[in-house]
């Protein structure tokens, strides 16, 4: 956040100034924060699978799915705490959301929580399918790379025409545009339901993928 505001902000703002670019940037950085935080979940799951603690849990009288759900709950809480920290830094350097009412703030927080849940389940699946913790970290790198090719840092219309569909048809862009609309009062359009579909779809996919891998390892 500080790098893009104070180092690149003057050039990337298109003459609008750093304060305007800060307002544009914060929603994307918040969702990028979620992506980078969930990489830790992939690494943690892979570490547990390879160090034998899962085998010990299997001998205990606990629900089989509680191990995965424990990772998911912990990761979502970490994501939300990271978002609060980054948001606090944004406010400290001048970000303001004066147009958002209480319902829009609640909707924004709900979107961040749902997006955290979706990416966490995907990260858990990546961790389950990785032979080592290092491989899990590498496999989860798209969770950081995708925001870089979204509308987080520059508008879609400023990108080359051939590249715009790549940036548009991925989970981060509609979520960023929805969060930006809720916090800044910009046009949301269809982005809200597209973001919702992405979040629900990734949650279901990640859960089924993780459960299938966990059940296979348990046999």
């Amino acid at each position: 956040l500080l790098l893009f505001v104070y180092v690149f902000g003057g050039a990337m703002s298109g003459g609008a100034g750093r304060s305007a670019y800060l307002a544009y940037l914060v929603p994307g950085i918040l969702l990028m924060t979620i992506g980078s935080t969930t990489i830790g979940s992939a690494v943690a799951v892979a570490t547990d699978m390879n160090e034998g603690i899962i085998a010990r849990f299997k001998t205990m009288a606990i629900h089989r799915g509680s191990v995965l759900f424990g990772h998911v709950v912990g990761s979502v809480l970490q994501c939300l705490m990271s978002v609060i920290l980054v948001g606090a830094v944004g406010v400290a350097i001048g970000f303001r959301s004066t147009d958002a009412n209480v319902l829009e703030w609640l909707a924004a927080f709900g979107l961040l929580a749902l997006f955290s849940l979706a990416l966490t389940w995907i990260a858990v699946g990546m961790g389950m399918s990785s032979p080592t913790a290092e491989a899990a970290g590498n496999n989860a790198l798209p969770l950081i790379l995708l925001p870089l090719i979204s509308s987080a840092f520059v508008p879609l219309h400023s990108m080359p025409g051939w590249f715009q569909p790549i940036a548009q048809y991925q989970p981060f862009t509609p979520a960023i545009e929805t969060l930006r609309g809720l916090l800044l009062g910009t046009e949301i359009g269809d982005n809200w339901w597209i973001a919702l579909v992405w979040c629900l779809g990734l949650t279901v996919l990640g859960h089924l993928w993780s459960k299938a891998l966990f059940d296979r390892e348990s046999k």
Side-chain angles (χ1 to χ4, degrees):
L1 176 62
L2 298 176
L3 174 68
F4 274 89
V5 171
Y6 291 112
V7 178
F8 304 131
M12 300 184 71
S13 63
R18 283 188 174 84
S19 60
Y21 187 61
L22 172 65
Y24 180 88
L25 185 65
V26 166
I29 292 292
L30 292 179
L31 289 170
M32 188 176 183
T33 300
I34 293 173
S36 60
T37 303
T38 53
I39 291 182
S41 301
V43 174
V45 169
T47 300
D48 285 352
M49 295 300 297
N50 288 297
E51 291 188 350
I53 191 172
I54 300 299
R56 295 184 182 182
F57 285 146
K58 294 174 185 176
T59 65
M60 301 171 65
I62 60 175
H63 189 273
R64 291 170 58 87
S66 61
V67 177
L68 296 182
F69 279 100
H71 275 291
V72 170
V73 172
S75 177
V76 171
L77 291 177
Q78 286 181 337
C79 286
L80 294 179
M81 287 188 291
S82 299
V83 164
I84 291 172
L85 175 60
V86 174
V89 174
V91 171
I93 62 176
F95 175 77
R96 297 293 183 270
S97 177
T98 56
D99 294 329
N101 56 38
V102 175
L103 290 179
E104 288 171 329
W105 273 106
L106 291 176
F109 186 81
L111 174 62
L112 291 169
L114 187 58
F115 202 77
S116 300
L117 179 65
L119 292 194
T120 294
W121 273 116
I122 293 296
V124 169
M126 290 176 174
M128 291 287 300
S129 63
S130 301
T132 64
E134 292 78 9
N138 292 332
N139 292 337
L141 280 180
L143 300 180
I144 289 182
L145 296 178
L146 281 176
L148 298 177
I149 55 174
S150 70
S151 63
F153 301 101
V154 294
L156 292 180
H157 64 76
S158 67
M159 302 177 184
W162 61 270
F163 190 79
Q164 291 181 18
I166 300 174
Q168 182 174 2
Y169 299 115
Q170 56 137 310
F172 278 90
T173 293
I176 290 170
E177 293 302 323
T178 301
L179 186 61
R180 190 172 283 143
L182 291 171
L183 296 181
L184 303 178
T186 59
E187 182 66 30
I188 296 178
D190 295 333
N191 287 300
W192 70 271
W193 68 262
I194 297 175
L196 184 62
V197 169
W198 268 114
C199 289
L200 296 178
L202 290 176
T203 300
V204 172
L205 175 64
H207 176 262
L208 294 178
W209 182 28
S210 302
K211 185 176 183 299
L213 292 173
F214 187 77
D215 291 341
R216 187 180 67 183
E217 293 291 334
S218 299
K219 293 180 180 179

